[in-house]
Amino acid sequence: MEALGSLIQGFGVVADPMNIVYMFIGITLGVLIGVLPGLGGANGVAILLPLTFGMSPTSAIIMLSCIYWGALFGGAITSVLFNIPGEPWSVATTFDGHPMAQKGHAGEALTTAFTSSFFGAFFAVIVITFLAPVIAAFALQFGPAEFFAVQMLTFCSFVGMGSDSPFKVLCAMMLGFALAAVGIDTVTGELRMTFGSVELLRGFDFLIAVIGLFGIGEILLTMEEGLAFRGKSARISATVVWRTWKQLPKYWVTAMRGSIVGCWMGITPGGATPASFMSYGLAKRFSRNGSKFGTGEMEGVVAPETAAHAAGTSALLPMLTLGIPGSPTAAVLLGGLLIWGLQPGPLLFVEQADFVWGLIASMYLGNIAGLIVVLTTVPLFAAILRIPFSIIAPVIVVICAVGAYTVHNAFFDVVLMLVFGVLGYIFKKLSYPLAPLVLALVLGDMAEGSFRQAMLVSQGDLAIFWSNYLVGGIITLALFMLFWPVISTFIRRKSGTTGGTEAVAAK
Amino acid sequence: MKVVKHPRLATAATFATAVLGATALSALPTTAFAWEPTKSVEFVVPAGTGGGADQMARMIQGVIQKNNLMKQPIVVVNKSGGAGAEGFLDIKGSKGEEHKIIITLSNLFTTPLATGVPFSYKDMTPVAMLALDNFVLWVNTASPYQSAKEFIDAVKTAGPNKYKMGGTGSKQEDQIITVGIDATAGTKFTYIPYKGGGDVAAQLVGNHVNSSVNNPIEAVSQWRAGALRPLCVFDDERIPLKEPIAGTQSWNDIPTCKESGLDVTYTMLRGIMMPAGVSKDVVDYYVDLFQKVRETPEWKDFMEKGAFNTTFMTGDDYTKWLASADEQHRKLMTDAGLAKK
Amino acid sequence: MDHETESSAPVVSNRVMEIVVAGLFALFSIIVMMDSARVGAGWASDGPEAGYFPFYVGLIMLVSALAIMGTAIFRQTNADSGTFVEKHQLALVLQVLVPSSVFVALVSFLGIYVAAAIFIAFFMYWVGKYPVQKIVPVAVGVPVALFVAFEIWFLVPLPKGPVEAMLGF
């Protein structure tokens, strides 16, 4: 209960009115940054970092981490409304969030997303408060082989998602892997598939692809169907929040699962984006409504949002205790700490207790503040869908272009975004699935890197993946997940039931 | 090879000179500089957000803003593609652009050698060396090695590829030091590349690798926590900071590798370059700016925290230093087979 | 909006489109494999080489693409010969795509702000048929808001052109 005492002290630090002001400024800026695709949490925090030099480190980190919370919340907004993920970790939110909006439930979808985010974050903060030392030690267990195992688990819990042709799934997935490989190879430092072009040096960024495939692709599809976002602007009233809240408790299993997956992925560190995909995949597989995922299920919003926000929050733990950033944004915050003269590491909790507990207390308050801010904006954002298509479409294209540009400050990326848009349109019409493509794009490089690092460690011996209980366990779990459709059918047959209405969603 | 040319930059540059001409006539006495920026200055970082170079650049940006050292804003832009090649090619292609500077790290030398992307320090105007980043040989405190000699002997006795060296990136500074050790001491490490310095330090703490050559700032917290042990520093002289850092030990207590019988020296450039074809007045302005930056307490504090070698160089000295460093990298990388044929 | 109804003739069938896309996949996969072979696609003593994974990624893609192509060519069911896009649909899609492409091209000459203003104004005028008094606030307001947010608050430089240069940015 020592933690509790420290935490109360932390609240004392945060309660300074100026810090509360910084908190709200941070959240608002963060939401704005989250809404603009491309200008992600990492960029946003990096950009605003120099502005905080005049403040005390505690105030500065409160404001910067609130920007981060805000970005985590804000990423969902455009995902739901326009099928454009504002942040990489909200890609999985588009799968059910946007269909909900199309059915006229934009307000419900946004409320669900925000509330789930809050739940995930809160769960993670509690974990950080009480389990920090234990978990920090656990993160040290992760070498290259373990990282690969986790990435494989993410992949295996997600593949096999609904599509009619397995060849198309393979094609899309392989395209993602191939694009992920373009640029410099992290293990040998060699250039792959750049063909002497300067523009290809930076590779294909996940965000560019996603803005194009989802955002621009959606606009083209909408246009084809006759000039209107199908989002029937249902009457948005303050009661929408209340009505949604009444429905949410029944998804508590999914929310808990998402939070646990998120915490784990944030700490090890796997990142918020893989966490959201893994949580979505698991929910689809194990939920009773699994087969309806993708058509606008509330549960399909709960799963990725809890995981993403739990991961985003818990990613700060390895940063503080070990100096390893659990996410790109954490990496920038880490830089900030160093500049302010705070040395992240095992001793930070001892030497800078005020700072650390102030930060943790601000996570509680920041997320509550964040939830209040974003929930009040629900009607506002949902109202955007009422703007006529011929006004909003060019504005979206412009914002997508800005987003694509800001990822790498490269004009070529804007062109790429447009190409991906056309690709997204064609793929959608020929029912090539986009989800495996983006997952392969985001995980491909990481997984290949970890695999090859592991091979360097073991000098080419694959047995390293079963060399201890941790890695062996995760790999086995991954294989189990991969063959789950087969296994569950088998179990069902064994137990004598004939499938019937609850037919297994094998595909 | 296609070289990117931004038409907007060209126009902006001509416009800037036009404005300059005008102001030179009307408002000369108000300023002590022969040249001053007339619009925001782009500060290119040829590395991703969160890394050492990025931290330093944003730190400089903050110092300049806070102390009002420049009338125009300074804007940090990351161009990390192709191990930094993207950023350097941007500078190379912006000939005559006066509102653009770049912070360099060792990839100024290593990237062209490793990837064959054509650029070199000769394509740019050297402005100033800000500092040299030190490298320290670290092992886990659980390992029995108390000195570099003991450790290197153990690696040698164990035979090739038995000991793993963790480092940042491939064919970059950490790997160059590793092959330097191999060449000097007759060892053969398995080099394992990771994404960032923090990762490497944590991997060493978790015993996934046997040693690392982390920069001081990347590993200092683990040293203070008693998880890592420094064996030697790869500079010509010991780090002059005598304040106790970990227990009773200070940076100054770490012997140089040369002292410990491992004759390898390496430091990494943290310097500023700008596009070719700019006038001396422009370079003088930036040199003056960075001199002011170096005098701020924030900068001094940052240098001390990171145990940097604070050598400052400009002009011919700096150019000479660049030439010899370029030669050193070429030799090390060619000998180790890391250069692209 | 007021597209003629007689133009709902099919432009291209699903089947042709399937074959074309699969063909492009196959082509792409061959490029991937060739470049991977260049950097080394084998399994060295210390694990896979740089081109190992991309090579097999390419190979799987090639096989899958050929399978898709084969199915499209040989299986003559009604589902396959459906329409990929009708004429009026294509016209609508191009109504967005062409101006967007022009916008992107303009960005490199005029900078993103001016190009955005022109693009939004044109689109609202051409597709939405809005009067000028409605067009101007949106077409000017959006780029100005972006300019303030990016160039002034966040200090993130976006592509700028001669107009911004004249204003001293």
Side-chain angles (χ1 to χ4, degrees):
Chain A
M1 284 298 104
E2 191 197 331
L4 214 56
S6 313
L7 183 64
I8 290 166
Q9 221 177 344
F11 278 114
V13 176
V14 181
D16 179 4
M18 247 356 254
N19 285 342
I20 302 280
V21 172
Y22 286 139
M23 195 181 282
F24 275 95
I25 295 177
I27 292 282
T28 315
L29 280 176
V31 172
L32 191 66
I33 283 166
V35 168
L36 294 169
L39 197 65
N43 285 342
V45 175
I47 290 159
L48 295 167
L49 189 61
L51 299 181
T52 60
F53 275 23
M55 307 179 188
S56 77
T58 313
S59 303
I61 191 91
I62 287 175
M63 181 161 137
L64 290 178
S65 57
C66 281
I67 291 174
Y68 184 32
W69 314 141
L72 281 166
F73 277 118
I77 296 171
T78 42
S79 301
V80 169
L81 299 184
F82 306 122
N83 206 29
I84 304 167
E87 299 286 333
W89 51 73
S90 17
V91 172
T93 309
T94 60
F95 299 160
D96 277 283
H98 188 59
M100 271 179 87
Q102 286 179 332
K103 286 194 212 157
H105 301 305
E108 282 88 338
L110 286 173
T111 309
T112 308
F114 294 148
T115 315
S116 310
S117 290
F118 175 77
F119 183 86
F122 217 78
F123 184 91
V125 182
I126 292 172
V127 168
I128 291 180
T129 311
F130 295 102
L131 297 173
V134 188
I135 286 166
F138 177 64
L140 283 175
Q141 304 280 312
F142 278 71
E146 286 80 6
F147 281 124
F148 175 74
V150 170
Q151 283 140 5
M152 187 166 148
L153 178 61
T154 309
F155 219 90
C156 291
S157 41
F158 195 78
V159 290
M161 300 223 353
S163 166
D164 24 20
S165 160
F167 291 116
K168 286 184 175 169
V169 178
L170 274 177
C171 255
M173 198 191 294
M174 293 305 137
L175 180 64
F177 279 129
L179 293 179
V182 175
I184 204 135
D185 168 35
T186 47
V187 178
T188 60
E190 237 167 310
L191 291 175
R192 296 193 294 194
M193 290 179 260
T194 54
F195 308 104
S197 151
V198 178
E199 303 292 359
L200 288 176
L201 277 180
R202 66 181 86 82
F204 289 88
D205 194 279
F206 170 70
L207 264 174
I208 312 288
V210 161
I211 293 171
L213 288 172
F214 288 78
I216 304 290
E218 180 71 17
I219 288 180
L220 295 180
L221 282 172
T222 310
M223 192 71 185
E224 178 184 272
E225 283 163 25
L227 282 175
F229 265 115
R230 282 159 290 171
K232 284 281 162 296
S233 43
R235 288 249 335 123
I236 309 289
S237 62
T239 58
V240 71
V241 173
W242 186 241
R243 266 188 288 123
T244 316
W245 276 2
K246 275 198 285 192
Q247 293 182 54
L248 284 176
K250 66 179 172 214
Y251 302 124
W252 68 275
V253 180
T254 304
M256 284 304 288
R257 195 196 302 113
S259 304
I260 293 167
V261 165
C263 279
W264 184 40
M265 294 293 277
I267 289 161
T268 49
T273 313
S276 62
F277 276 101
M278 193 197 268
S279 173
Y280 185 87
L282 290 176
K284 186 180 166 72
R285 207 155 279 192
F286 294 117
S287 159
R288 243 182 301 151
N289 296 326
S291 52
K292 282 191 263 165
F293 270 39
T295 60
E297 274 294 307
M298 213 179 242
E299 205 176 348
V301 178
V302 173
E305 281 292 316
T306 44
H309 221 128
T313 308
S314 55
L316 293 188
L317 185 65
M319 176 195 97
L320 293 172
T321 56
L322 300 170
I324 37 173
S327 71
T329 314
V332 179
L333 285 174
L334 182 75
L337 293 181
L338 293 172
I339 292 172
W340 298 313
L342 294 169
Q343 194 57 252
L347 295 181
L348 190 70
F349 275 74
V350 183
E351 291 174 348
Q352 304 282 350
D354 260 14
F355 168 80
V356 172
W357 290 103
L359 171 62
I360 293 178
S362 84
M363 292 183 185
Y364 285 95
L365 293 182
N367 273 296
I368 294 172
L371 187 67
I372 295 169
V373 169
V374 288
L375 281 181
T376 49
T377 59
V378 165
L380 181 76
F381 281 112
I384 291 180
L385 284 182
R386 276 187 238 175
I387 300 174
F389 184 79
S390 46
I391 298 179
I392 201 75
V395 175
I396 293 175
V397 173
V398 168
I399 289 177
C400 286
V402 170
Y405 182 83
T406 46
V407 175
H408 288 303
N409 302 293
F411 171 70
F412 181 70
D413 282 347
V414 184
V415 180
L416 265 185
M417 169 201 80
L418 214 53
V419 175
F420 274 115
V422 177
L423 215 59
Y425 167 76
I426 295 173
F427 279 13
K428 204 65 178 271
K429 295 212 78 180
L430 292 179
S431 61
Y432 280 90
L434 294 180
L437 196 166
V438 294
L439 187 63
L441 191 54
V442 72
L443 272 185
D445 222 18
M446 279 194 259
E448 191 200 345
S450 312
F451 182 84
R452 286 166 60 199
Q453 282 167 354
M455 286 298 102
L456 282 173
V457 170
S458 72
Q459 290 294 303
D461 185 1
L462 284 170
I464 190 171
F465 294 116
W466 275 273
S467 60
N468 63 52
Y469 288 115
L470 182 61
V471 63
I474 303 173
I475 289 274
T476 312
L477 190 62
L479 292 177
F480 181 75
M481 279 296 156
L482 185 63
F483 295 110
W484 173 252
V486 187
I487 296 168
S488 63
T489 323
F490 184 72
I491 295 172
R492 213 165 280 271
R493 215 164 277 161
K494 263 270 155 100
S495 61
T497 49
T498 45
T501 46
E502 271 188 60
V504 188
K507 280 257 248 50
Chain B
M1 173 78 40
K2 197 175 103 207
V3 176
V4 254
K5 266 228 180 91
H6 295 276
R8 70 185 174 95
L9 289 177
T11 37
T14 30
F15 177 71
T17 26
V19 168
L20 198 67
T23 42
L25 288 174
S26 57
L28 240 186
T30 57
T31 166
F33 299 107
W35 180 89
E36 260 193 292
T38 49
K39 56 171 193 163
S40 54
V41 173
E42 206 172 295
F43 194 175
V44 179
V45 178
T49 38
D54 183 61
Q55 273 166 32
M56 192 178 269
R58 293 190 192 274
M59 147 91 197
I60 291 171
Q61 183 193 16
V63 166
I64 291 177
Q65 257 170 30
K66 190 178 163 192
N67 297 297
N68 252 329
L69 301 180
M70 201 162 82
K71 290 201 183 100
Q72 296 286 342
I74 184 160
V75 175
V76 175
V77 178
N78 296 82
K79 288 188 187 287
S80 59
E86 191 194 350
F88 290 114
L89 287 174
D90 182 30
I91 296 293
K92 184 181 172 181
S94 317
K95 213 166 177 181
E97 168 60 73
E98 295 161 325
H99 294 89
K100 201 178 249 193
I101 53 177
I102 188 167
I103 188 163
T104 68
L105 45 158
S106 281
N107 61 1
L108 169 63
F109 311 114
T110 56
T111 301
L113 287 168
T115 62
V117 177
F119 66 86
S120 103
Y121 72 96
K122 290 177 200 150
D123 300 327
M124 293 164 236
T125 312
V127 177
M129 172 194 287
L130 294 178
L132 292 168
D133 211 342
N134 275 312
F135 291 85
V136 174
L137 180 63
W138 302 90
V139 292
N140 194 307
T141 23
S143 71
Y145 318 111
Q146 298 294 336
S147 74
K149 192 174 177 322
E150 280 175 48
F151 177 63
I152 294 296
D153 285 345
V155 180
K156 230 186 294 184
T157 326
N161 293 326
K162 291 289 178 236
Y163 277 71
K164 292 168 290 238
M165 175 75 85
T168 314
S170 183
K171 297 185 183 166
Q172 291 176 24
E173 54 279 359
D174 287 9
Q175 191 168 11
I176 288 179
I177 298 176
T178 309
V179 298
I181 298 173
D182 283 347
T184 316
T187 51
K188 179 85 185 74
F189 280 97
T190 301
Y191 177 80
I192 311 207
Y194 291 93
K195 279 254 163 65
D199 296 324
V200 178
Q203 291 285 314
L204 183 56
V205 175
N207 262 320
H208 301 285
V209 291
N210 304 95
S211 56
S212 79
V213 289
N214 273 131
N215 300 126
I217 204 162
E218 293 165 343
V220 61
S221 62
Q222 305 290 354
W223 178 28
R224 300 184 55 214
L228 296 185
R229 180 187 299 140
L231 295 181
C232 67
V233 55
F234 293 92
D235 200 352
D236 290 322
E237 282 161 33
R238 290 191 180 198
I239 300 169
L241 302 168
K242 291 195 172 124
E243 283 203 15
I245 299 280
T248 56
Q249 283 196 303
S250 73
W251 286 114
N252 193 248
D253 292 324
I254 308 173
T256 65
C257 293
K258 208 170 176 179
E259 279 176 55
S260 342
L262 176 64
D263 193 1
V264 179
T265 55
Y266 190 89
T267 49
M268 175 157 73
L269 172 65
R270 300 286 189 190
I272 304 292
M273 314 281 281
M274 64 182 304
V278 292
S279 72
K280 191 172 174 308
D281 291 344
V282 177
V283 177
D284 285 349
Y285 173 83
Y286 287 111
V287 168
D288 181 76
L289 175 71
F290 284 104
Q291 245 153 0
K292 282 182 195 148
V293 168
R294 277 171 51 87
E295 279 153 25
T296 60
E298 291 94 346
W299 175 266
K300 284 181 181 151
D301 193 50
F302 185 68
M303 286 292 107
E304 208 173 305
K305 285 268 158 37
F308 285 91
N309 174 332
T310 54
T311 312
F312 185 71
M313 274 185 209
T314 56
D316 287 344
D317 291 345
Y318 184 29
T319 315
K320 254 182 237 152
W321 189 94
L322 287 168
S324 77
D326 192 43
E327 201 38 54
Q328 182 201 8
H329 283 92
R330 189 177 308 276
K331 187 172 176 327
L332 276 170
M333 288 184 68
T334 319
D335 289 354
L338 298 180
K340 195 179 164 82
K341 274 135 238 159
Chain C
M1 267 194 222
D2 46 355
H3 37 77
E4 307 92 299
T5 31
E6 69 265 31
S7 65
S8 63
V11 178
V12 57
S13 76
N14 260 337
R15 194 165 147 228
V16 173
M17 208 57 197
E18 285 277 15
I19 295 168
V20 169
V21 171
L24 288 175
F25 263 115
L27 188 70
F28 181 72
S29 68
I30 290 168
I31 297 174
V32 170
M33 284 158 73
M34 269 164 52
D35 193 71
S36 303
R38 180 186 62 83
V39 293
W43 186 287
S45 64
D46 54 355
E49 291 181 306
Y52 180 83
F53 284 105
F55 183 83
Y56 288 97
V57 160
L59 190 65
I60 297 174
M61 203 197 295
L62 182 63
V63 173
S64 309
L66 293 179
I68 295 169
M69 207 188 270
T71 324
I73 292 173
F74 294 112
R75 205 171 50 186
Q76 298 265 10
T77 61
N78 278 339
D80 285 329
S81 50
T83 310
F84 179 77
V85 67
E86 287 167 9
K87 200 168 174 187
H88 78 274
Q89 286 179 324
L90 185 67
L92 284 171
V93 169
L94 289 179
Q95 241 175 11
V96 183
L97 197 57
V98 171
S100 300
S101 310
V102 173
F103 159 65
V104 170
L106 279 181
V107 168
S108 62
F109 296 106
L110 295 177
I112 206 160
Y113 304 107
V114 178
I118 295 173
F119 173 52
I120 294 172
F122 174 77
F123 199 87
M124 282 178 72
Y125 173 76
W126 189 50
V127 180
K129 310 262 189 293
Y130 284 96
V132 179
Q133 62 268 31
K134 277 198 175 173
I135 293 176
V136 172
V138 182
V140 174
V142 171
V144 167
L146 286 174
F147 187 84
V148 172
F150 283 92
E151 305 285 338
I152 297 173
W153 288 353
F154 293 152
L155 290 179
V156 176
L158 295 182
K160 289 182 286 292
V163 178
E164 288 89 347
M166 248 155 54
L167 297 169
F169 281 93

